[in-house]
Amino acid sequence: MKAYKRPIQRSIILGSALFITFMCFILSLQSYLSFSKSLYQRYDDSLDNIVNYVHSQIDADDLYNCVQTKEHSEKYDRLQQTLNGMVDEFELFYLYIVFTRDTSMINVVSATSQAERDRGETDMPLLDSSEGYSYEEIQKYNRVLEQSEIKYFEEDSEWGAAYTACKPLANSSGKNYALICADISIEALHKTVNSYVIYNVVLTLILGLLFGFILIVWLRHNITGPILALEKSARKFAESSRNHKDPSELVFDTPTIHTENEVESLSRAISQMSEDMRKYIQSIVSAEEKIKSAQETAADMTLLAYKDALTHVGSKIAYDRAIRALENEISENKIPFAIAMIDLNNLKNINDGYGHSNGNCYIFGTCHIICSIFRHSPVFRIGGDEFVVILRDSDYENRHELIEQARQKFYETESDNSREPWERFSAAVGIAEYHSGDTVDMVFKNADKDMYENKMSMKNKN
């Protein structure tokens, strides 16, 4: 048998394998890019909300004056406390306001986490200088300072891989004098992306190999087999007919081929295979996009349904779900628990007198106090000015101290005349405990009654 330099069967198999490999690479790359973009967008949105909230809490001119005079102000101290609370609440690596000078990073305000305070660390001094930054790092921050919008970049820090958002801070004259920066860990993002990519690459390769095996079998049966059989018969006929003069000996051993025109049939088969391949790949990409879209839509709908849009605590729907779980636990004698009812005071006056944006700040600030006190319990916003806390475990054991702490905290903020009206948070707090034979609704009503009595007591004192 003659050895051909480029046998058609090997060429077709090699070409098919390269094509399948290329398509697997394209599909894996497209999947990686779209998934990474989606995850990074979520991190961008989260950091965007944090940086913008910090920006909304800053009196830019007052902070600029502190930088110029090197002296703290009352607003500066409040801003320091706000940043200290946020760095733990949002699990940030770091939250700070800085500006650059030569090869130094100059601190304006830097958050100190609870863990750092527990180790005895104190807040970084105003205008404290941090040396050792490279020229490239300084220029990166300088470029952001010249912008007017939030910029994001990824870097390695002593805490691990970090994702940073920076927003320029300008005084009333429009001068950018500092940067509001927030750092968050993205190690989880990298792990998620890598796991997703590995899964998709493996799945795509398996499908590619399976499809390749089926394709090779089909090609041998329908294309290369008949062509090789035809070539073998033709070559055998040529060899046997050489130097033969007897026409009866010139017999062509016709192979069993069920085609009328081999070249035309081969052309139609390749054309159909190419069309089938294109449709197959399109169906895979389309199905993947539909699944991804459905997953993202389901996740967004779940988030909207179970989280309050303003405060990010549990919504009324989430509370109803928690109540059903409590009712099941009561039937199974899984107790005890208590319900705390918190009703905001003066919200209508704030909305009418200072606008709904400050009213939202009033609601958000009150919610922050509630969450910081009842930190081990689920908090729900069930109305415009009503919050409910379900106390279990350690919070239940310390329920009376926590209720007293909440009432005292609201009394202090309401009495603090140095605050803006929408920062003088006030709320009536009531509590009721579950007793054998009660329903969840009875406990809720008793908590509401206790809250109402506390509200009347507060009005009588005023």
Side-chain angles (χ1 to χ4, degrees):
M1 180 176 179
K2 183 179 180 181
Y4 294 97
K5 188 176 182 180
R6 295 180 180 178
I8 186 170
Q9 181 167 275
R10 188 179 70 182
S11 297
I12 291 177
I13 292 175
L14 180 60
S16 299
L18 290 175
F19 178 74
I20 293 172
T21 302
F22 175 76
M23 295 310 301
C24 289
F25 171 78
I26 293 297
L27 287 174
S28 299
L29 180 62
Q30 186 273 337
S31 176
Y32 166 77
L33 293 176
S34 61
F35 188 71
S36 297
K37 181 179 179 181
S38 174
L39 287 183
Y40 272 100
Q41 185 61 50
R42 295 182 186 178
Y43 275 66
D44 288 351
D45 292 343
S46 177
L47 288 174
D48 186 89
N49 290 334
I50 293 171
V51 172
N52 282 327
Y53 177 75
V54 172
H55 188 273
S56 69
Q57 302 300 305
I58 297 175
D59 185 331
D61 288 333
D62 178 80
L63 190 60
Y64 181 76
N65 185 60
C66 292
V67 172
Q68 298 300 313
T69 62
K70 302 181 181 180
E71 294 292 335
H72 289 204
S73 68
E74 184 178 342
K75 292 181 178 180
Y76 178 95
D77 293 334
R78 285 204 302 270
L79 178 61
Q80 178 72 66
Q81 295 304 314
T82 299
L83 267 59
N84 288 350
M86 292 181 65
V87 75
D88 286 323
E89 181 179 354
F90 295 102
E91 299 181 348
L92 301 175
F93 269 167
Y94 211 28
L95 183 60
Y96 51 100
I97 303 174
V98 295
F99 63 91
T100 60
R101 181 183 295 161
D102 298 326
T103 59
S104 300
M105 196 74 72
I106 310 301
N107 174 68
V108 179
V109 186
S110 295
T112 305
S113 68
Q114 185 62 49
E116 292 171 334
R117 292 194 292 274
D118 292 341
R119 293 196 299 268
E121 297 183 25
T122 59
D123 297 329
M124 187 178 293
L126 174 63
L127 301 187
D128 189 304
S129 176
S130 298
E131 305 288 343
Y133 283 87
S134 67
Y135 175 81
E136 291 75 17
E137 290 177 303
I138 295 296
Q139 290 303 309
K140 179 168 58 179
Y141 283 88
N142 284 336
R143 286 193 293 272
V144 178
L145 190 61
E146 296 172 356
Q147 306 296 317
S148 60
E149 56 188 10
I150 298 177
K151 296 296 182 181
Y152 307 90
F153 51 86
E154 186 174 340
E155 60 183 356
D156 291 328
S157 68
E158 61 186 74
W159 303 282
Y163 194 55
T164 302
C166 293
K167 181 173 183 177
L169 181 63
N171 57 21
S172 58
S173 63
K175 177 183 177 181
N176 291 351
Y177 66 90
L179 290 172
I180 305 171
C181 302
D183 297 351
I184 192 169
S185 171
I186 57 170
E187 290 184 354
L189 180 145
H190 287 164
K191 291 180 180 178
T192 301
V193 171
N194 291 339
S195 298
Y196 181 84
V197 169
I198 291 173
Y199 171 81
N200 278 274
V201 168
V202 171
L203 179 61
T204 305
L205 286 176
I206 291 174
L207 291 175
L209 290 173
L210 178 62
F211 182 80
F213 174 77
I214 295 173
L215 179 64
I216 290 171
V217 172
W218 183 86
L219 287 173
R220 184 174 181 84
H221 183 268
N222 294 280
I223 298 176
T224 59
I227 291 177
L228 289 175
L230 183 63
E231 185 270 343
K232 181 179 180 181
S233 294
R235 179 164 46 82
K236 185 177 180 180
F237 173 77
E239 290 175 353
S240 61
S241 63
R242 184 178 300 124
N243 299 321
H244 281 270
K245 305 296 183 181
D246 188 354
S248 62
E249 296 181 0
L250 301 176
V251 178
F252 179 71
D253 185 11
T254 305
T256 304
I257 299 177
H258 301 290
T259 58
E260 296 180 358
N261 187 309
E262 293 81 6
V263 175
E264 181 180 353
S265 176
L266 180 62
S267 176
R268 288 199 303 266
I270 294 176
S271 177
Q272 186 63 48
M273 180 193 68
S274 177
E275 181 68 17
D276 290 345
M277 177 73 78
R278 184 181 65 81
K279 290 181 179 179
Y280 178 76
I281 294 172
Q282 285 180 339
S283 66
I284 293 177
V285 174
S286 176
E288 183 178 276
E289 290 176 349
K290 289 179 180 178
I291 293 172
K292 180 181 176 182
S293 176
Q295 290 173 337
E296 292 177 348
T297 301
D300 291 341
M301 291 177 66
T302 301
L303 182 63
L304 290 174
Y306 288 96
K307 278 197 175 183
D308 179 62
L310 174 61
T311 62
H312 304 301
V313 298
S315 66
K316 180 63 168 60
I317 295 176
Y319 173 71
D320 292 338
R321 184 181 184 184
I323 291 304
R324 291 193 295 271
L326 275 178
E327 290 172 346
N328 291 333
E329 291 186 12
I330 290 175
S331 65
E332 298 172 2
N333 296 320
K334 294 181 179 179
I335 51 175
F337 72 90
I339 292 179
M341 183 75 182
I342 299 99
D343 187 82
L344 278 63
N345 299 323
N346 307 321
L347 178 59
K348 186 177 187 302
N349 294 335
I350 296 296
N351 283 330
D352 293 343
Y354 303 99
H356 284 275
S357 60
N358 286 322
N360 288 340
C361 291
Y362 186 75
I363 295 172
F364 189 86
T366 305
C367 180
H368 181 70
I369 292 175
I370 297 170
C371 293
S372 64
I373 293 174
F374 303 100
R375 64 182 60 190
H376 302 298
S377 300
V379 179
F380 306 91
R381 184 185 180 202
I382 63 171
D385 56 0
E386 294 179 322
F387 290 86
V388 172
V389 185
I390 299 177
L391 305 180
R392 302 293 295 271
D393 301 324
S394 62
D395 277 4
Y396 175 80
E397 295 173 2
N398 302 307
R399 57 194 178 280
H400 299 299
E401 293 85 349
L402 293 176
I403 293 298
E404 184 58 33
Q405 183 181 346
R407 289 173 175 171
Q408 181 63 28
K409 182 65 176 179
F410 285 125
Y411 173 77
E412 292 173 359
T413 56
E414 183 183 20
S415 304
D416 189 354
N417 294 325
S418 65
R419 293 171 174 259
E420 297 289 350
W422 52 88
E423 294 176 345
R424 296 172 61 182
F425 311 116
S426 175
V429 182
I431 186 172
E433 304 166 14
Y434 168 78
H435 299 287
S436 180
D438 288 347
T439 65
V440 178
D441 185 60
M442 291 169 63
V443 180
F444 176 85
K445 290 179 178 178
N446 289 336
D448 187 64
K449 179 181 178 182
D450 188 51
M451 179 276 297
Y452 182 76
E453 291 174 357
N454 180 240
K455 186 180 287 287
M456 292 299 100
S457 175
M458 295 174 70
K459 289 184 178 180
N460 292 334
K461 289 180 180 180
N462 294 331

